[in-house]
Amino acid sequence: MYLETERLILRKFLEEDWKDLYEYLSKENVIKFEPYGIYSEDECKEEAVNRSQNEAFWAVCLKENNKLIGNIYFKQQEPKEFMTWEIGYVFNPLYYRKGYATESSKRILKYGFEQIGMRRIIAKCNPENSASWKLLERLSMRLEGHFKKPVYFKKTIDGKEIWHDCYQYAMLEEEWFDSTK
Ligand SMILES: CC(C)(COP(=O)(O)OP(=O)(O)OC[C@H]1O[C@@H](n2cnc3c(N)ncnc32)[C@H](O)[C@@H]1OP(=O)(O)O)[C@@H](O)C(=O)NCCC(=O)NCCS
């Protein structure tokens, strides 16, 4: 697990990444649309260990100083013979709007389509998460579904599920190769 772009290195997580992970997973505005709550320092220590043993998590680091600035989730879906992966991403807000999420996600798409024989990639996001679907549009992924309240991640303080809508984006191998012509 090692990929490079002009400004970034994408690599496997290491146990010592917990501090950089804590810098963003401890922030309410970062995890707002995620299926989990904010992480404590101890939870980040545990999470860094878990991620170091899970090939779906890629650490995204700046080449200039090795700082871990975010992560990409890239996981093969079942059944395996469908050759479909899902992508997700969470970045440290100090590094938003510099194109780092776009640059690293593009590299993962290239890796998927050109190195491991991926046939289709999907991504899901809440329509209210405009930063997320704008990124998917920048990646030239295609909106293929708007699902009405299929899931909830969080509950209100009085215990009611907060059902939310979901966009699904996708890209096929042929669309990737057409876009790189
Ligand atoms: C989703 C998320 C990763 C997007 O981050 P981001 O900073 O908007 O994305 P990028 O790093 O690619 O930056 C893109 C922005 O930088 C600008 N930019 C600056 N330099 C750039 C460059 N060299 N290349 C591309 N874009 C560049 C773009 O114009 C764009 O700005 P715009 O939104 O005003 O058009 C981030 O908002 C996040 O981590 N959110 C919290 C977690 C989350 O919700 N994850 C998704 C769950 S579904």
Side-chain angles (χ1 to χ4, degrees):
M1 280 179 81
Y2 183 88
L3 298 170
E4 273 186 44
T5 67
E6 193 187 332
R7 297 178 294 171
L8 304 167
I9 285 169
L10 282 69
R11 61 156 171 81
K12 202 178 160 90
F13 264 87
L14 304 169
E15 291 182 20
E16 55 265 36
D17 289 329
W18 75 266
K19 272 192 181 164
D20 286 334
L21 208 50
Y22 180 69
E23 237 182 84
Y24 60 96
L25 290 185
S26 59
K27 293 193 167 60
E28 190 61 52
N29 59 334
V30 173
I31 57 87
K32 185 174 170 201
F33 294 106
E34 291 296 302
Y36 44 79
I38 51 167
Y39 279 65
S40 65
E41 283 197 1
D42 281 346
E43 286 167 338
C44 283
K45 285 179 187 163
E46 205 179 311
E47 185 66 10
V49 173
N50 292 341
R51 291 185 182 197
S52 71
Q53 294 159 6
N54 183 346
E55 295 204 338
F57 285 98
W58 289 76
V60 179
C61 307
L62 290 179
K63 257 186 189 171
E64 60 184 30
N65 57 8
N66 289 319
K67 170 86 180 164
L68 186 155
I69 60 162
N71 65 265
I72 292 186
Y73 175 78
F74 182 61
K75 170 89 175 153
Q76 187 169 14
Q77 307 294 288
E78 297 289 344
K80 293 268 195 287
E81 61 266 31
F82 284 8
M83 295 303 278
T84 297
W85 271 254
E86 181 172 359
I87 190 169
Y89 30 70
V90 181
F91 277 70
N92 183 328
L94 293 175
Y95 302 90
Y96 284 176
R97 315 201 80 163
K98 296 178 192 297
Y100 291 137
T102 305
E103 190 171 315
S104 49
S105 301
K106 252 193 202 153
R107 185 64 187 91
I108 289 284
L109 261 56
K110 186 176 169 63
Y111 166 70
F113 287 121
E114 298 183 18
Q115 289 176 247
I116 59 169
M118 180 166 78
R119 190 190 65 86
R120 178 170 177 257
I121 187 165
I122 64 157
K124 295 174 184 166
C125 78
N126 186 325
E128 287 176 22
N129 192 353
S130 56
S132 181
W133 59 254
K134 277 185 189 168
L135 168 57
L136 297 168
E137 298 272 341
R138 267 195 303 280
L139 293 171
S140 302
M141 289 180 69
R142 168 179 40 75
L143 179 64
E144 64 176 16
H146 180 166
F147 297 89
K148 297 289 179 183
K149 298 188 175 177
V151 289
Y152 78 87
F153 293 157
K154 315 244 157 118
K155 291 187 175 179
T156 60
I157 18 177
D158 43 341
K160 288 213 175 75
E161 301 86 359
I162 307 173
W163 297 101
H164 65 80
D165 286 9
C166 183
Y167 280 162
Q168 180 163 303
Y169 278 77
M171 184 184 264
L172 294 169
E173 192 178 11
E174 51 266 40
E175 293 172 313
W176 169 260
F177 285 105
D178 277 350
S179 75
T180 57
K181 265 181 197 160

